[in-house]
Amino acid sequence: MTYDVIIDGRTHRVELERGRDGMQVKVDGKAMTVDAVIAERDVMSLLIEGRSYDIKRETTAASEHMVVRGITFTSEVRDPRALGSRRAAAAASDTGPKKLVSPMPGKVVRILAPAGTAVEAGQGVVVVEAMKMQNEIKSPKAGVVQNVAVTEGMAVNAGDVLATVG
């Protein structure tokens, strides 16, 4: 089994294989023998190369954390074969232009960043009003707005391309 494990924003490739002496693990290509036992709910005890670690998982609505020896790490585990993981990795990628699409039918009420404007990830580009609510469509990456495909007052459908950020 292979997983991508993201610890404090840094991605590590973890490969697991059951062996005679425990679990054979490769972390970023480095092999090690690990003996793992679930000690209690959300607590795993690991013996790695003769050293003992208790890892406690803490989950909130927004994120998951691992606590090791009193130090808290933000963590996320992804199966690279899963469609959701591939989409999340592609969305997180900063390479190539990204299209901003309307998530719902509505009317464009404001262009916040016209073509040629430098934007940061998460900065609003277009505002779409639907059911009397205004929704700011944000840039998925830092870059420059390459084009805006809509004008203020224009009606849009769900999935229509609003702008492209490169």
Side-chain angles (χ1 to χ4, degrees), residues 1-35:
M1 297 180 282
T2 302
Y3 297 96
D4 289 333
V5 179
I6 299 113
I7 304 291
D8 285 344
R10 201 164 158 208
T11 303
H12 302 277
R13 176 61 54 107
V14 178
E15 300 171 50
L16 306 173
E17 186 174 314
R18 193 171 299 280
R20 287 190 317 173
D21 300 327
M23 190 69 79
Q24 298 297 313
V25 179
K26 284 186 182 175
V27 178
D28 295 331
K30 181 182 176 193
M32 58 187 77
T33 300
V34 176
D35 187 16

Side-chain angles (χ1 to χ4, degrees), residues 38 40-45 54-60 63-68 71-73 75-77:
I38 297 175
E40 60 186 80
R41 181 183 169 96
D42 293 330
V43 177
M44 181 173 276
S45 181
D54 285 333
I55 300 174
K56 182 177 182 186
R57 181 175 71 175
E58 296 178 348
T59 305
T60 65
S63 62
E64 185 168 294
H65 303 277
M66 298 292 171
V67 181
V68 182
I71 301 171
T72 302
F73 302 91
S75 65
E76 181 180 347
V77 177

Side-chain angles (χ1 to χ4, degrees), residues 42-137:
D42 293 330
V43 177
M44 181 173 276
S45 181
L46 299 177
L47 187 60
I48 303 171
E49 308 289 325
R51 291 186 169 175
S52 176
Y53 302 90
D54 285 333
I55 300 174
K56 182 177 182 186
R57 181 175 71 175
E58 296 178 348
T59 305
T60 65
S63 62
E64 185 168 294
H65 303 277
M66 298 292 171
V67 181
V68 182
R69 295 185 173 175
I71 301 171
T72 302
F73 302 91
T74 302
S75 65
E76 181 180 347
V77 177
R78 293 182 184 161
D79 181 348
R81 299 169 298 170
L83 179 61
S85 293
R86 292 194 311 262
R87 285 183 176 166
S93 171
D94 284 341
T95 60
K98 300 287 182 193
K99 294 179 180 175
L100 279 69
V101 297
S102 179
M104 77 289 278
K107 182 173 118 182
V108 175
V109 292
R110 213 165 339 145
I111 307 294
L112 300 173
T117 304
V119 293
E120 295 296 321
Q123 183 178 340
V125 177
V126 175
V127 177
V128 174
E129 183 179 88
M131 299 176 66
K132 298 184 179 180
M133 293 185 62
Q134 295 190 354
N135 301 283
E136 192 172 282
I137 311 303

Side-chain angles (χ1 to χ4, degrees), residues 111 113-117 144-148:
I111 307 294
T117 304
V144 174
V145 177
Q146 293 180 334
N147 79 350
V148 177

